[in-house]
Amino acid sequence: MFMDKPISKLRHIADRVISLHKKWKVAVVMGEDEHTMDALCKAMADGFIYPVFIGDQEKIKSMIKTEMGEEQYAYQVISCTNPKEAAIIGVALVKKGEADMIMKGLIHTDLFLKAILNKETGLMLPKATLSYVCALEIPRYYKLLMITDPAVIPFPNLDQKMMMARYAVHMAHQLGIKTPKLALISASEKVSTHMPNSLDYMQMCEMTKQGAIENCIIDGPLDLFLACDPESVRIKGFSTPVNGDADILLFPTIEACNPFYKGLMLFGGGELAGLIQGTTHPVIVMSRSESFKSKYYCLALACLMTENTC
């Protein structure tokens, strides 16, 4: 069942989660960095997160006491100073049902994801594709804008692009968007053999028409103006069901998507909430340079994605 109104601000994700009056356990792997701790402390204060820290016990307790100002909030610490072992412990907690999600702290992403991807002990869904979807809040766009994939798949093939689209559409549904508009991004709206991704896009549109992805509108190739600016659509006289009102942008490569989102963060005042996709439970992977607000919103999104609220 869909929400009465789609979520259009990252703060509304947190508001929605807080309103459920539940508390989710998150396994935090090596969480002794400032922004991660700030995000977790705020989520604890807001009452929807119970952290299980796996890391340096003394540092964690010292940081929590400093951040919170008091020790009345509930959390647990599992002492472990080896990042590889900490990741394995965190994944095992989720696997055993002792945590609802897992979050990366001061550990290299490849080491963290290695524990997630382990075929025997990890958190991958059968036959799934590991990918990443994030929702961006940008001052000059009137609603959340989801993008994929800025972090995991360097050069996705057609099958991987279809999985990326499915994951993004599912997230949009969880945010209350009944029929999200997904734009397949290119440098031009023309299909050309000189841009092989445009040929994939043409197939994706046809596959979606045949029911490969339900409850969405997909079109491409489209440039950013046709995807996100109705005035550009009018000026060009171009016909597209996305009509300059995209909810989701799917980029052809990580080299295109990653600089796009980082540019919006650095120069456009953007914030984000994103999750690894293709796993049995929410996996939060954020750069150390991301703001505490974005990490907080990631926690809220992870909680929302565990709920069948849409």
Side-chain angles (χ1 to χ4, degrees):
M1 183 176 180
F2 283 93
M3 303 171 194
D4 293 335
K5 187 178 180 181
I7 290 174
S8 60
K9 299 286 185 182
L10 294 176
R11 176 66 229 180
H12 298 165
I13 299 175
D15 291 343
R16 172 66 177 169
V17 168
I18 291 168
S19 75
L20 296 174
H21 302 292
K22 290 181 62 174
K23 192 169 286 190
W24 289 262
K25 283 188 176 182
V26 54
V28 186
V29 179
M30 310 300 292
E32 307 95 274
D33 73 282
E34 182 181 351
H35 287 176
T36 297
M37 192 62 73
D38 286 347
L40 287 161
C41 287
K42 178 166 176 54
M44 277 191 279
D46 287 346
F48 66 88
I49 282 294
Y50 178 98
V52 181
F53 293 99
I54 307 106
D56 188 308
Q57 188 168 7
E58 290 187 9
K59 286 183 180 179
I60 290 167
K61 288 190 173 183
S62 173
M63 291 180 75
I64 289 178
K65 187 172 182 180
T66 301
E67 294 296 332
M68 307 291 278
E70 51 188 307
E71 296 189 65
Q72 66 183 28
Y73 296 94
Y75 64 92
Q76 179 184 350
V77 181
I78 297 173
S79 183
C80 179
T81 57
N82 183 299
K84 181 179 178 180
E85 291 179 9
I88 293 170
I89 292 169
V91 169
L93 289 173
V94 176
K95 194 91 170 177
K96 292 185 292 185
E98 296 176 13
D100 302 298
M101 61 195 70
I102 186 168
M103 183 177 192
K104 170 187 171 292
L106 278 176
I107 175 174
H108 289 298
T109 301
D110 56 350
L111 193 60
F112 179 78
L113 289 181
K114 187 175 182 180
I116 302 294
L117 288 164
N118 188 290
K119 292 181 179 180
E120 295 181 0
T121 61
L123 300 176
M124 287 298 295
L125 288 164
K127 299 181 181 179
T129 297
L130 195 74
S131 185
Y132 192 89
V133 180
C134 64
L136 300 170
E137 184 176 324
I138 312 159
R140 291 192 62 180
Y141 206 58
Y142 78 100
K143 60 182 176 179
L144 294 179
L145 181 65
M146 278 160 280
I147 65 168
T148 186
D149 176 335
V152 178
I153 309 176
F155 300 99
N157 59 32
L158 175 60
D159 290 341
Q160 289 171 326
K161 289 188 185 83
M162 286 298 292
M163 288 302 297
M164 288 160 56
R166 290 190 183 99
Y167 294 145
V169 168
H170 174 65
M171 183 179 288
H173 289 162
Q174 290 294 93
L175 294 175
I177 305 168
K178 294 181 181 179
T179 310
K181 296 176 181 178
L182 192 159
L184 304 168
I185 297 299
S186 183
S188 168
E189 65 274 17
K190 296 177 182 178
V191 176
S192 169
T193 55
H194 296 294
M195 294 187 178
N197 285 294
S198 70
L199 303 177
D200 282 355
Y201 290 167
M202 191 168 57
Q203 291 187 61
M204 292 175 70
C205 292
E206 186 58 35
M207 292 166 72
T208 302
K209 287 179 183 176
Q210 295 174 5
I213 307 176
E214 297 181 346
N215 299 318
C216 71
I217 294 168
I218 291 182
D219 195 25
L222 296 173
D223 70 9
L224 276 170
F225 286 102
L226 294 175
C228 299
D229 181 29
E231 182 65 9
S232 293
V233 176
R234 186 192 67 79
I235 291 170
K236 280 194 170 186
F238 189 80
S239 177
T240 170
V242 172
N243 202 33
D245 188 41
D247 298 290
I248 303 165
L249 305 181
L250 186 147
F251 286 81
T253 68
I254 198 172
E255 291 174 325
C257 193
N258 185 276
F260 173 78
Y261 108 83
K262 285 181 177 175
L264 290 175
M265 298 297 104
L266 184 60
F267 300 116
E271 294 287 354
L272 68 83
L275 295 172
I276 290 287
Q277 301 292 301
T279 53
T280 58
H281 297 73
V283 176
I284 302 168
V285 177
M286 295 286 283
S287 167
R288 279 173 287 183
S289 61
E290 298 288 359
S291 72
F292 99 88
K293 283 186 178 180
S294 285
K295 294 189 178 189
Y296 169 80
Y297 292 137
C298 284
L299 285 163
L301 178 63
C303 295
L304 184 68
M305 292 295 285
T306 67
E307 293 296 298
N308 187 22
T309 53
C310 297

